[in-house]
Amino acid sequence: MSLDARYDTNGFDGRPSHTGGVLVVADRIREAVETVIEGKPEVVRMALTVLLAEGHLLIEDIPGVGKTMLAKALGRAVDCSVQRVQFTPDLLPSDITGVSVYHQERQEFEFNPGPVFANIVLGDEINRASPKTQSALLECMEEMQVSVDGETRSLERPFMVIATQNPTDMEGTYPLPEAQRDRFMARIAVGYPTPQAELDMIDTHGALSPLDGLAPVADTAEIRAMVAHVQTIHVAPGIRRYAVDLVAATRTAPELRLGASPRATLHLVRAARAYAALEGRAYVVPDDIQALAVPVLAHRLLLSPEAHMERRTTEHIVSDLVARMPIPGPR
């Protein structure tokens, strides 16, 4: 019996009829996005993982490495509504959620929906707006709804917020509040391209934007079907305990003054289901949890003053915890 097969229990054979369909559509989206984002397959894979897990993605990196391009490419690859919000210091919460306008002729208020009423919402440079404006996304991201003037309006599925932010040591930035960071399922960095990818970029991006030739390769119905399949991916009891123990370890680590929340545990398991589906499996294995631990957990943690002085990072601490955590058995 293979190592992975030990976690394939309760009648799951690892190759349900829907798994092939998920891979076919996911590969189409991945290939389309990679025509724009060259040489970053793991970054594209993580974006797809978060989409299928019904989460939200935070992309943090320096300007000019393709953060916004990644979000736009994913929105173009799926035939769905996409809205972009440029976060600036003078942006108001109503600029995101919408506002009710009074019509004198009809003598009634009419709600004008904001950009959050879209399937994919790109929040560009989210940490250049004030915390008050950033918090306008909290209800949308957690509860898939918007409350304005005492009325609650539901958002259409799929709904995903892709936010980009510059490092907080750059000018004109506000740190994201802890509650806001905790709503993002994962945080990734694009990073610099390889020299060859940068050479290719000169040819492909020199005259026209590669987004101009990017046509949709999937629609919202296919995404909803893929999300529904991901929710059926099996998570063995041992894997569940592994995820819980790993998150709990962040709460007692001496290098951290704030550990991960129970929401982080849920996000870790949901992301692991999507990650397994993209591997063609109907069950989660420890490798899925380990691969996702840093992007799902690190951005939620706060370092202790001593760890700051030692120039530790939350990514290093999560990696150390993963290395020390015993691998679970199949049950």
Side-chain angles (χ1 to χ4, degrees), residues 168-281:
T168 54
D169 57 353
M170 303 190 79
E171 293 185 8
T173 59
Y174 300 83
L176 287 181
E178 287 81 358
Q180 183 83 12
R181 293 201 305 271
D182 199 40
R183 258 78 171 182
F184 286 101
M185 177 172 283
R187 180 185 66 181
I188 61 174
V190 177
Y192 289 115
T194 64
Q196 183 58 50
E198 201 159 2
L199 282 171
D200 296 339
M201 190 186 308
I202 295 174
D203 296 330
T204 58
H205 297 221
L208 299 174
S209 170
L211 287 172
D212 296 339
L214 184 57
V217 296
D219 56 30
T220 54
E222 289 176 305
I223 298 300
R224 285 193 292 267
M226 294 167 72
V227 168
H229 171 69
V230 163
Q231 293 170 354
T232 69
I233 299 298
H234 179 64
V235 185
I239 301 294
R240 299 180 189 183
R241 171 57 62 181
Y242 184 49
V244 170
D245 289 346
L246 183 57
V247 173
T250 67
R251 302 167 190 162
T252 58
E255 304 97 333
L256 301 173
R257 61 184 177 91
L258 177 66
S261 67
R263 183 187 288 117
T265 309
L266 296 175
H267 282 181
L268 183 59
V269 173
R270 283 166 49 190
R273 282 191 165 111
Y275 200 85
L278 292 175
E279 284 287 316
R281 283 185 272 103

Side-chain angles (χ1 to χ4, degrees), residues 7 16 39 73 137:
Y7 304 95
L137 288 172

Side-chain angles (χ1 to χ4, degrees), residues 87-91 125-134 172-174:
F87 280 72
T88 56
D90 59 348
L91 193 71
E125 296 185 307
I126 188 174
N127 60 335
R128 289 198 179 277
S130 67
K132 180 179 180 180
T133 301
Q134 294 170 4
T173 59
Y174 300 83

